[in-house]
Amino acid sequence: MTTTTTGRPWRLAVAGCGAAAFGLHLPLLKASDAFDVIAVADRDPARARVAQQRFAVPRTATRVGDLLTDTDVLVILTGVHEDLIEEALDAGVHVVTEKPVCLDVVRTRKLAARARDAGLLLEVGAMRAHDPALHAVLAHVPEPAGGWLVKADGVDEAARRRLLPSGFAPYSFADDPPQPVPDHLDAHQVTALQILLWQGYHLLTALVLAIPGTTATACNLDPAGQSVHALLHGPAGEPFTLVIGASPAGGFREQIHLADQAAAATVDFARPYESAATTQLTTADGTATGFGDPFAAMWASVDSRLSGQHPADLPTSADLALRVEDLALALAGLARTRKDT
């Protein structure tokens, strides 16, 4: 365990008490000796009070200033992040935020620069970067010559309902303020960008880690505005297909397949909010399961980064976020629909 220089745990305040808080982050944080959750907040005060009681958090807050009082790190689990990030940085508080930072990578770049210049952490929840299963794939196929990445999720809403207290809605994004988007994108390209960064973020994370220098080649958005089909190439022309699609209720697939001339590996990731031990890796040697929890690995990395210890094999979290958001913007800028062709 790494703690502050005074020997105490890092004091965290959590903004947003949705399914990610109830099902993923708060259980981990409350069980960790490295962190102490001192406050929670939510746009629905009743939900914050339930989280406070369930996880024995000392207090709730209704204002950001109160949430930041005596806080080392603000954990942002809301739908919109940038204003909260700015307030935390203004107060000299580190930030761990849900992905993406913004829909406009220009704003993300400014926030990352502000944090860096202030000596503050801006950690983005790219948990796939810490996923032991993904790193097993990359070890098996260290220089992919091609592959595909697929995501279709029809289980998320039901999973959220199971995690949240009775009576609370699984989604409240409709109440979020509008998020700034790049001015040069058409409406259907904004839709593609939203799909890429809201549903495909973890796939893009895997792609930029596996193939540095990937470039966007083509992108199509289905007429219903629910699915993206894209083609990308590595620096030597290696082809990679990315598909993010709508799924009927109950259906789920998040799969990555990478191959070179000598080896291939396919990973089928666990369903949302289910144990990572059910993730399945398939190679010519057989099938492997029982992988560790990427969220636990992510929080261990946060602890290390707060102490100035950066994993040598990973870019800083903000740098990785910029690479992901840059690639998403490039794909969205190429997005076409059937009526455009």
Side-chain angles (χ1 to χ4, degrees):
M1 178 187 73
T2 305
T3 59
T4 62
T5 55
T6 63
R8 63 167 173 77
W10 303 102
R11 295 173 302 199
L12 309 185
V14 176
C17 297
F22 276 92
L24 299 172
H25 297 284
L26 286 175
L28 274 170
L29 294 172
K30 290 301 294 184
S32 171
D33 292 333
F35 302 107
D36 183 14
V37 181
I38 64 170
V40 292
D42 192 86
R43 70 174 63 178
D44 182 347
R47 183 152 54 182
R49 288 193 295 271
V50 172
Q52 177 193 17
Q53 294 165 3
R54 180 173 297 184
F55 297 101
V57 178
R59 59 186 174 86
T60 63
T62 56
R63 298 187 307 169
V64 177
D66 295 335
L67 192 62
L68 297 176
T69 300
D70 297 325
T71 297
D72 298 315
V73 185
L74 178 63
V75 182
I76 302 173
L77 305 179
T78 57
V80 180
H81 314 134
E82 50 262 47
D83 288 348
L84 287 169
I85 294 172
E86 288 184 338
E87 292 196 54
L89 297 180
D90 287 343
V93 172
H94 300 288
V95 175
V96 176
T97 182
E98 266 287 2
K99 45 74 181 172
V101 177
C102 304
L103 290 175
D104 187 347
V105 70
V106 172
R107 293 169 64 89
T108 298
R109 192 164 277 108
K110 290 178 179 178
L111 290 170
R114 279 195 60 193
R116 182 179 60 250
D117 292 346
L120 295 170
L121 180 73
L122 175 57
E123 179 82 8
V124 186
M127 61 88 176
R128 197 63 77 212
H130 306 278
D131 196 315
L134 176 62
H135 287 281
V137 173
L138 300 183
H140 195 79
V141 189
E143 297 182 1
W148 66 75
L149 306 93
V150 178
K151 172 74 176 289
D153 187 351
V155 303
D156 188 73
E157 180 175 352
R160 287 171 180 257
R161 287 190 184 279
R162 287 194 297 271
L163 292 170
L164 287 169
S166 177
F168 292 111
Y171 300 117
S172 58
F173 303 137
D175 298 324
D176 287 341
Q179 295 192 50
V181 295
D183 293 335
H184 68 278
L185 296 184
D186 294 334
H188 71 278
Q189 293 173 324
V190 170
T191 298
L193 181 66
Q194 291 169 336
I195 293 172
L196 288 160
L197 287 179
W198 290 345
Q199 300 174 43
Y201 194 97
H202 295 316
L203 296 182
L204 293 177
T205 298
L207 193 60
V208 300
L209 287 173
I211 310 97
T214 304
T215 58
T217 305
C219 183
N220 288 291
L221 179 72
D222 79 297
Q226 295 183 327
S227 302
V228 163
H229 189 159
L231 178 65
L232 307 99
H233 284 93
E238 309 94 326
F240 298 90
T241 300
L242 172 69
V243 179
I244 307 167
S247 171
F252 178 80
R253 170 164 289 185
E254 185 174 3
Q255 182 185 83
I256 294 174
H257 173 83
L258 300 176
D260 60 19
Q261 298 300 317
T266 303
V267 60
D268 290 281
F269 292 102
R271 291 185 169 211
Y273 308 106
E274 294 186 5
S275 170
T278 61
T279 290
Q280 182 171 295
L281 172 65
T282 304
T283 68
D285 300 325
T287 299
T289 57
F291 293 98
D293 182 359
F295 288 96
M298 185 189 80
W299 278 109
S301 175
V302 170
D303 180 23
S304 295
R305 288 182 190 275
L306 286 167
S307 304
Q309 303 172 27
H310 296 269
D313 61 337
L314 288 176
T316 65
S317 180
D319 288 342
L320 181 60
L322 287 169
R323 288 164 58 186
V324 169
E325 292 187 27
D326 276 330
L327 184 56
L329 179 60
L331 286 168
L334 297 173
R336 300 290 182 267
T337 63
R338 187 179 301 165
K339 65 182 180 183
D340 295 323
T341 59

